[in-house]
Amino acid sequence: MEKKPFITLEQVKEIVKEYPTPFHIYDEKGIRENARRLKEAFSWNPGFREYFAVKATPNPYLMKILKEEGIGADCSSYTELVLADTIELPGENIMFSSNVTPAEDFQLAAQLDAIINFDDITHIDFYEKIAPFKETMCCRFNPGGKFQIHNTIMDSPQDAKYGMTRPQMTEAFLKLKNKGVKHIGIHSFLASNTVTNEYYPTLARLLFQTAVELRNETGVHIPFINLSGGVGVAYRPDQEANDIFVIGEGVRKAYEEILVPAGMGDVAIFTELGRFMLAPYGHLITQVIHKKHTYKEYIGLDACAANLMRPAMYGAYHHITVLGKEGMPCDQMYDVTGGLCENNDKFAIDRELPVVEIGDYFCIHDTGAHGFSMGYNYNGKLRSAELLLCEDGSVKLIRRAETPKDYFATLDFLGL
């Protein structure tokens, strides 16, 4: 199955008259439709709430679109909390899930009345010196071992720095209860970017059973269970995408089988999706500026790993469409590179594409999450603009491109 861009060559040619490449562009229509599908898939749970993982795409314009669709924010740092406050999200719509947390971050989260999710049992005493405990708090669970589905190992929680052990969860619940906390939620994240409808239901069963045990052991009311993120997207055209309705139904069955018989049918289901919410609805648009013929054939773009780090950092696959050549045969093999002084600055290695010429525009797919947000300034490269393709077809600048003045702004040196 071929991936189709949500933007055409003709549109790009109009856009670059005002906003030169490279730039990230997001599809408002796709974002809103996806948010509505998610909410419909979990509509069986009256308390369901999605907290968008701000780290994926920290832009207030996009967060505001999600807010209009009834979606909150999952924040992990001081500045992400500031973003949530800037779009005027109420406290119950902010989930603060962090680790190795500075005191000022906890302090701001408390001021905003966010739901605070403790990553470590030692954070409870640390927090007590910073702010009063609230009636509702949360604890992050790490079951350890290896997390697997149908004998396939998805990830190794035992190697992750996040969350508390099972005995620590009981201890934390009792400790918080003694400090006046009346309601304690459970949070867990066990695998990243899963492309299987089984992940959430399997995780849900584990957390639902743990919730029943913790309620019985401590007598604490558990108001919500947060499945966190981990539901991925099909980066490759031959992958079958997750079906959020199948996923929602799988979680519902586990809920009915485990929580309802235990008298816990009032538990709300929370999610913290970032990649699933936005990745397919963002493109990195970049232009071919060089072709190099040495031991391989190279295509040089005006974008680089500073604009999209995932291929260089993880060897991640991002599909590429040469705009205007969608119908041509992909019978040429290229390495697609940026201009950093690093040999891993490659968007693709041995990628089959149509014949490419200098001046062609590339659409790099699925950059709507963990794309712009992972950018950096190595080699003095400047971050690109972010644009929004609005539902009415117009284009809006939602973050301007950096300039050399921005790069030097934190220096205090004569002449700069």
Side-chain angles (χ1 to χ4, degrees), residues 183-305:
H183 316 284
I184 305 176
I186 299 174
H187 175 288
S188 193
F189 172 82
L190 300 188
S192 179
N193 191 33
T194 62
V195 189
T196 168
N197 295 327
E198 299 295 323
Y199 171 61
Y200 255 7
T202 304
L203 172 63
R205 287 184 178 277
L206 171 64
L207 295 187
F208 294 168
Q209 188 58 53
T210 302
V212 173
E213 294 170 2
L214 284 168
R215 191 277 313 269
N216 293 342
E217 291 169 5
T218 66
V220 172
H221 175 244
I222 298 173
F224 63 84
I225 293 174
N226 190 332
L227 302 177
S228 188
V231 177
V233 299
Y235 285 101
R236 295 178 179 272
D238 57 351
Q239 284 180 302
E240 186 175 349
N242 285 317
D243 186 329
I244 197 62
F245 291 98
V246 173
I247 291 170
E249 176 61 14
V251 175
R252 186 196 67 78
K253 286 181 179 178
Y255 190 99
E256 295 290 337
E257 291 173 13
I258 299 171
L259 290 181
V260 172
M264 298 176 67
D266 64 332
V267 173
I269 300 300
F270 292 170
T271 56
E272 291 175 349
L273 299 170
R275 192 188 315 265
F276 179 83
M277 296 305 298
L278 284 191
Y281 312 106
H283 294 330
L284 173 59
I285 305 298
T286 172
Q287 190 172 31
V288 177
I289 57 174
H290 288 287
K291 291 177 69 177
K292 183 176 182 178
H293 318 282
T294 54
Y295 303 104
K296 301 183 78 172
E297 295 295 309
Y298 293 97
I299 299 299
L301 303 179
D302 60 5
C304 64

Side-chain angles (χ1 to χ4, degrees), residues 48 76 237 302:
F48 174 75
S76 58
D302 60 5

